Amino acid sequence: MHFDSSNLGREQLLSFYRALVYPRLIEEKMLLLLRQGKISKWFSGIGQEAIAVGATLAMHADEWILPLHRNLGVFTTRNMPLEKLLLQWQGQAAGYSKGRERSFHFGDRAHQICGMISHLGPQLGIADGIALAHKLRKDNRATLVFTGEGGTSEGDFHEALNLAAVWDLPVIFLIENNGYALSTPVSAQYRCASLVEKAAGYGMEGVQVDGNNLLEVYQTVRSARAYAASRNKPVLIEAMTFRMRGHEEASGTKYVPPELLEAWAEKDPIAQYEAFLLEEGILSEERIHEIKESLKHDIEEAVAAGLQPRPALVSTEQELADIFAPAPAPHYPIGTSTEKRFIDAIAEALRQSMEEFPLLVLMGQDIAAYGGAFKITEGFLEKFGPDRVRDTPLCESAVIGAALGLSIQGFKSMVEMQFADFVTCGFNQIVNNLAKIHYRWGQNADVVIRMPTGAGVGAGPFHSQSNEAWFTHVPGLKVVYPSTPEDAKGLLCAAIADPNPVLFFEHKALYRSIAGLVPDEYYTIEIGKARLVQSGDDLTIITYGSGVHWAMEYAANHQHLSICVLDLRTLIPLDYNAVQQAVAATGRVLVLHEDTLTGGFGAEISAWIGEHCFHLLDAPVVRCASLDTPVPFSTELEKNFLAKSRLDAHIQQLLAW
């Protein structure tokens, strides 16, 4: 095997050897501890160390790396203390994620490492966002993200590479091709001769390297880093290697032909690099033994400290407190107000937020020159420029991942779903990355996803869903659903100011059909506070979105009834105090929403009232929701589908109790 040691001095080559051997020796100790039951699970990277170590050595210390669960060499080469890593692997509170993540599913800002999630592919989009931040700052840095050959079959791989190519982002996509995704061989994974061939299809540079050759990996990634950072271009690297142990230890390797294991054992990256150093006279057998013994001693000391029993101190209060980052205080409106339509209030909120936050980036399909499907961002491109108002390819998952990457770099972002229905294509990023990352390792997800939602406009089953209940079940997401222009502006400004992920629902039927006084200057309305629309004595309607207007219309047409109407405005966090007060006002409660009945958010409100306000009720809580069908296209079918068509019957049922 040829080792390119050009431009590398004797001491550097020796330090590379230490960096390569260290994770191997740690792994050997971890496998022993696993058999002793002192750690619960292990994903071995034995045989693949040259990729993680070489690539990390090639990146600058202030550049982000997004590794996988077999890349111990990334963590050790970034000098993360082994004692603390041991605490992490045991689920100890003193680890990197307070016992909330096992293995390598964690990140650490101090070491510029962003932890993976088990779904593998979504971290590729995050790398795009981190790289976009570098490009916007013009700081000549690159981002390195790992994937396996199995992960290249995921849609996130295509989306992330395509986005990086279209936006000219300084990302290095490093594929560790070790032959098997758990037990699935490459013959059942893809049909191209090599994965690096995919690079040409995205219009980016690609190179295949011997992943067991430390210096080849180092030199290749070093060159790729320089190219990506200086030219703002992505690079795809396929590193050929082999996993000498099971996907994880319980899996074993019985599915691997023995002769294949034997062939790759002869290509062991440490043995080959040792042979090179011996041949060059940089190392002797005696020195190799000394280095390994010294490292083993360090490992034993770290293990002795890291495996000390530590009693778990569990705090429910702390667990709940870490779901969200602290939000800023409300910015109350001052000055004059002007009559504005709902859609104009949304546009004004975006425009003033762009002025308020210079690091706010807007992303979405057709939002730039075209101005968006509903023309909300019309004129924004001219005012704020293409860096901050960005048209995206049709790749919701990669764009939402990129939004998180921007947040990791201190930016804010707004992602517009052209229709709320299309969010399904980015669902994984929202519920597993955005929602969980602050709880996992204290990283903000400063992202707002705007969701043009709802029926009543004859758009059929794929452009009309009110799908807020999909997200109210996910801890870590805030869900906002305003009904008036004033609330739409104030709550959208608040959502953008908030460092947490916010799903912001805007009812399409309200865009141009309602208007109201809206403060002209920038202001925010506190997320998590309901609005009492009107007081009443006979019954209470708890609702949000279009339901507020249905309730007010019903009250206006039935003035013999005294109806209390509560507009929730925010579903998560929910204003339980306001709900309780609204229940107490009348003792008869109808929960109204446009979403379908079964599993709708009204069920959560009804259950909470039954559990906490039973003594205040004079009748069972009644839910009024849309039919449990997809949203139909025909006008008459759609009217029958919507909850509004059954509102009177449900109110009469409630009053008759």
Side-chain angles (χ1 to χ4, degrees):
M1 176 182 288
H2 172 70
F3 285 87
D4 178 10
S5 59
S6 58
N7 302 319
L8 294 173
R10 181 186 183 91
E11 289 303 314
Q12 193 169 12
L13 291 170
L14 188 58
S15 70
F16 281 15
Y17 177 69
R18 290 177 177 272
L20 183 64
V21 171
Y22 188 43
R24 171 70 64 85
L25 296 177
I26 292 173
E27 282 223 45
E28 290 174 353
K29 182 64 176 180
M30 291 308 108
L31 294 175
L32 177 61
L33 294 175
L34 181 69
R35 289 193 291 272
Q36 294 173 346
K38 294 181 179 178
I39 58 172
S40 63
K41 203 174 187 70
W42 191 258
F43 294 86
S44 176
I46 288 177
Q48 299 183 199
E49 296 94 342
I51 302 172
V53 173
T56 305
L57 288 168
M59 298 298 290
H60 291 183
D62 59 356
E63 293 176 321
W64 281 85
I65 300 178
L66 294 86
L68 293 174
H69 49 285
R70 223 175 300 286
N71 294 134
L72 174 60
V74 172
F75 296 84
T76 56
T77 306
R78 280 278 164 99
N79 298 313
M80 299 182 86
L82 178 55
E83 181 180 338
K84 191 165 183 176
L85 286 172
L86 279 158
L87 295 172
Q88 175 70 26
W89 300 332
Q90 296 170 82
Q92 294 282 347
Y96 285 98
S97 57
K98 300 182 181 180
R100 294 165 181 166
E101 295 268 60
R102 71 178 190 186
S103 190
F104 297 102
H105 293 215
F106 69 94
D108 184 55
R109 293 195 64 83
H111 294 89
Q112 302 278 277
I113 290 176
C114 178
M116 61 174 286
I117 64 172
S118 294
H119 302 67
L120 304 179
Q123 69 179 22
L124 297 165
I126 299 174
D128 282 349
I130 295 173
L132 174 59
H134 287 316
K135 180 176 180 178
L136 294 176
R137 286 186 169 131
K138 299 180 173 62
D139 59 11
N140 295 317
R141 288 180 174 84
T143 303
L144 172 66
V145 59
F146 285 76
T147 188
E149 83 289 337
T152 66
S153 296
E154 293 188 333
D156 281 288
F157 176 82
H158 161 71
E159 290 194 18
L161 268 69
N162 191 56
L163 187 67
V166 171
W167 281 1
D168 291 321
L169 301 178
V171 189
I172 302 166
F173 298 99
L174 178 53
I175 303 170
E176 290 183 296
N177 191 337
N178 63 24
Y180 288 87
L182 207 157
S183 68
T184 305
V186 294
S187 59
Q189 198 71 244
Y190 55 84
R191 279 292 180 265
C192 49
S194 60
L195 290 169
V196 73
E197 294 178 0
K198 293 179 179 285
Y202 295 105
M204 67 175 65
E205 295 295 322
V207 60
Q208 186 182 83
V209 299
D210 178 355
N212 284 21
N213 186 321
L214 175 68
L215 297 189
E216 185 175 334
V217 173
Y218 170 78
Q219 301 285 24
T220 302
V221 175
R222 184 169 175 263
S223 297
R225 195 220 71 82
Y227 169 84
S230 63
R231 300 194 187 185
N232 283 318
K233 294 285 187 181
V235 180
L236 178 66
I237 299 174
E238 181 184 17
M240 308 305 293
T241 186
F242 198 76
R243 168 167 48 79
M244 297 302 295
R245 302 190 70 86
H247 170 72
E248 43 87 25
E249 285 306 300
S251 302
T253 56
K254 290 183 178 179
Y255 48 84
V256 181
E259 60 272 18
L260 195 56
L261 285 168
E262 292 171 7
W264 279 97
E266 294 178 2
K267 301 177 184 179
D268 181 271
I270 293 175
Q272 293 194 89
Y273 191 53
E274 282 179 352
F276 162 73
L277 294 177
L278 288 167
E279 183 180 339
E280 294 292 313
I282 295 171
L283 276 181
S284 63
E285 294 287 358
E286 182 181 5
R287 185 66 180 132
I288 288 173
H289 177 74
E290 290 174 357
I291 290 172
K292 288 183 177 179
E293 288 304 308
S294 174
L295 291 174
K296 286 178 181 178
H297 175 75
D298 293 343
I299 292 168
E300 291 298 333
E301 284 192 339
V303 168
L307 289 184
Q308 289 293 328
R310 290 169 170 80
L313 300 175
V314 178
S315 168
T316 299
E317 182 181 357
Q318 187 63 52
E319 287 296 289
L320 294 173
D322 283 352
I323 294 297
F324 294 119
H331 188 97
Y332 295 104
I334 56 176
T336 60
S337 296
T338 305
E339 185 89 359
K340 294 181 179 70
R341 298 177 303 172
F342 193 98
I343 194 170
D344 299 324
I346 294 287
E348 189 167 87
L350 286 175
R351 185 168 57 253
Q352 291 181 356
S353 292
M354 289 286 276
E355 294 165 350
E356 185 78 9
F357 300 105
L359 295 183
L360 172 61
V361 176
L362 309 184
M363 299 183 286
Q365 295 161 19
D366 306 302
I367 69 166
Y370 187 71
F374 300 98
K375 300 299 181 183
I376 287 175
T377 53
E378 195 166 31
F380 278 45
L381 178 63
E382 292 76 14
K383 184 174 179 61
F384 299 108
D387 282 349
R388 298 184 64 198
V389 184
R390 307 184 73 90
D391 276 337
T392 71
L394 273 68
C395 54
E396 286 83 359
S397 184
V399 172
I400 295 171
L404 179 54
L406 284 170
S407 182
I408 287 172
Q409 287 287 64
F411 283 73
K412 290 179 175 288
S413 59
M414 184 287 299
V415 178
E416 179 187 293
M417 291 295 111
Q418 200 164 69
F419 292 87
D421 313 65
F422 298 168
V423 77
T424 50
C425 298
F427 192 77
N428 189 29
Q429 290 281 17
I430 295 171
V431 304
N432 283 316
N433 262 331
L434 296 188
K436 295 179 173 64
I437 198 164
H438 187 267
Y439 176 76
R440 289 167 58 205
W441 49 283
Q443 169 60 49
N444 294 345
D446 206 334
V447 179
V448 174
I449 302 178
R450 287 184 41 244
M451 303 275 281
T453 191
V457 293
F462 306 115
H463 294 75
S464 305
Q465 296 171 90
S466 190
N467 49 15
E468 66 277 3
W470 295 352
F471 303 101
T472 56
H473 183 66
V474 181
L477 299 176
K478 294 188 177 184
V479 181
V480 178
Y481 204 143
S483 67
T484 69
E486 181 180 6
D487 286 350
K489 177 180 175 180
L491 286 168
L492 181 53
C493 288
I496 292 170
D498 198 306
N500 298 287
V502 181
L503 277 292
F504 192 88
F505 287 83
E506 309 162 8
H507 203 292
K508 303 188 298 292
L510 302 182
Y511 273 157
R512 293 175 171 84
S513 66
I514 66 165
L517 287 175
V518 178
D520 296 318
E521 296 185 17
Y522 174 87
Y523 67 98
T524 64
I525 293 173
E526 184 177 357
I527 291 175
K529 294 295 181 182
R531 176 177 69 97
L532 182 64
V533 181
Q534 68 176 40
S535 300
D537 301 316
D538 293 331
L539 75 145
T540 294
I541 299 177
I542 298 175
T543 186
Y544 54 91
S546 56
V548 175
H549 300 280
W550 297 342
M552 294 303 295
E553 180 184 333
Y554 187 90
N557 293 333
H558 297 80
Q559 295 191 15
H560 62 286
L561 294 175
S562 178
I563 302 177
C564 171
V565 178
L566 181 69
D567 179 2
L568 294 176
R569 302 196 293 190
T570 298
L571 307 186
I572 303 293
L574 184 62
D575 190 344
Y576 291 106
N577 289 333
V579 170
Q580 186 172 32
Q581 291 169 14
V583 173
T586 69
R588 296 178 186 272
V589 180
L590 181 137
V591 181
L592 170 66
H593 59 61
E594 182 177 320
D595 192 11
T596 51
L597 179 69
T598 304
F601 193 64
E604 176 61 29
I605 300 170
S606 300
W608 188 87
I609 293 172
E611 184 176 352
H612 297 277
C613 306
F614 183 76
H615 62 290
L616 301 174
L617 292 172
D618 296 324
V621 177
V622 173
R623 289 179 294 154
C624 182
S626 296
L627 292 179
D628 283 334
T629 71
V631 186
F633 166 66
S634 159
T635 301
E636 293 307 312
L637 289 176
E638 186 180 44
K639 286 180 179 178
N640 180 66
F641 162 83
L642 288 169
K644 182 181 180 182
S645 67
R646 285 170 294 284
L647 181 56
D648 180 62
H650 283 77
I651 288 177
Q652 296 309 316
Q653 173 192 344
L654 180 61
L655 293 173
W657 184 263

